Amino acid sequence: MESRWVDVDGVVLHVGVTGSGPDVVVLTGGPGCVQYLERDELAVPGHRCWFPEPRGVGRSGGGAHDMQRAIADLEAVRREAGVETWTVLGHSWGSDLAVRYALDHPESIARVIGIAGRGPQRDRTWSEAYEAGAPLEPDVPIEVAADVWSSLSASFTDWIHRPDLWRRLADCTVPVNLVAAGADVRPSWPLQQLAELLPNGRFSVVPDAPHDFWATHPELWVDVVGRACTPPVA
């Protein structure tokens, strides 16, 4: 894994890069988590993988910011890397950020792979199921920057309340593959609905996989992301 540093408007961001082949940018969850997927053994086989650490988190400079800034940072990394288009692979919150990235910059994205995301909608039954199951989840300690978590969470809430959100999603032609973890305590119906709405949306489930199966079942993670990032032969 090679470390690179990208200056974005005076703030230096850390980006790990490994492998060779078509480009994939890998977004972690949280929001505000350190880049927990930045490991050679978790990289997508046969691809060059970019692992940006979010602004204000871990080795990256800066602080609290909104989703628009997060996406601008990703675009700055892409331009600095000399990448024309890339696959955006996001886990958990990273999946939700990837969907917005596709709406804001479809010209930069070959496809989105969202794994164990939440989706831009939920109701009381979703929250009740999550809260009931959360104590039973496998414990995977991850460092989180609280101020970044707070600012991005608020920005996400503002975004999903926009009156034009569903129109923009329905008009987005970027291929989006949403993958649910079968043993996730987060109900998957929002992802199913989103996949049905998107013109090129797909939904699938990894049976018996917990939310953080990158940590509990790393070989399964590599298999899932490898197949998802490799388009079928025509």
Side-chain angles (χ1 to χ4, degrees):
M1 184 72 65
E2 174 190 352
S3 284
R4 297 194 186 183
W5 304 91
V6 179
D7 188 313
V8 184
D9 300 329
V11 172
V12 179
L13 306 180
H14 180 268
V15 184
V17 59
T18 190
S20 61
D23 290 287
V24 178
V25 61
V26 184
L27 312 182
T28 53
C33 285
V34 296
Q35 189 28 296
Y36 53 77
L37 295 172
E38 187 187 331
R39 304 181 188 178
D40 286 296
E41 64 269 24
L42 296 178
V44 183
H47 291 72
R48 181 169 60 165
C49 294
W50 302 83
F51 299 88
E53 192 141 58
R55 174 182 293 253
V57 179
R59 296 154 292 181
S60 289
H65 58 284
D66 60 15
M67 291 183 78
Q68 184 174 356
R69 177 72 265 176
I71 290 170
D73 287 346
L74 294 174
E75 277 291 274
V77 171
R78 182 188 61 80
R79 290 192 298 269
E80 177 69 18
V83 174
E84 183 175 354
T85 62
W86 53 12
T87 292
V88 184
L89 168 64
H91 173 252
S92 194
W93 152 263
S95 171
D96 300 322
L97 181 63
V99 170
R100 175 162 177 181
Y101 189 8
L103 297 186
D104 291 356
H105 292 281
E107 72 286 350
S108 301
I109 300 175
R111 68 184 61 81
V112 166
I113 311 297
I115 299 181
R118 191 187 82 178
Q121 72 275 40
R122 66 176 178 178
D123 62 9
R124 183 176 296 176
T125 64
W126 191 101
S127 298
E128 289 173 349
Y130 171 73
E131 291 164 6
L136 305 177
E137 281 196 301
D139 184 23
V140 179
I142 302 172
E143 181 183 342
V144 180
D147 58 338
V148 176
W149 181 91
S150 180
S151 61
L152 284 173
S153 294
S155 179
F156 178 80
T157 298
D158 290 342
W159 177 57
I160 65 174
H161 288 165
R162 289 186 180 181
D164 65 342
L165 174 62
W166 302 106
R167 179 71 272 158
R168 294 187 68 202
L169 288 167
D171 290 341
C172 178
T173 59
V174 174
V176 178
N177 183 0
L178 300 171
V179 182
D184 199 337
V185 302
R186 297 155 184 77
S188 63
W189 60 262
L191 299 179
Q192 292 178 274
Q193 289 184 331
L194 182 57
E196 287 290 331
L197 177 64
L198 291 161
N200 292 308
R202 293 177 55 201
F203 173 79
S204 60
V205 178
V206 182
D208 303 321
H211 182 72
D212 289 313
F213 70 97
W214 59 271
T216 59
H217 301 72
E219 292 182 358
L220 177 62
W221 171 268
V222 172
D223 178 64
V224 169
V225 299
R227 287 187 286 108
C229 290
T230 304
V233 177

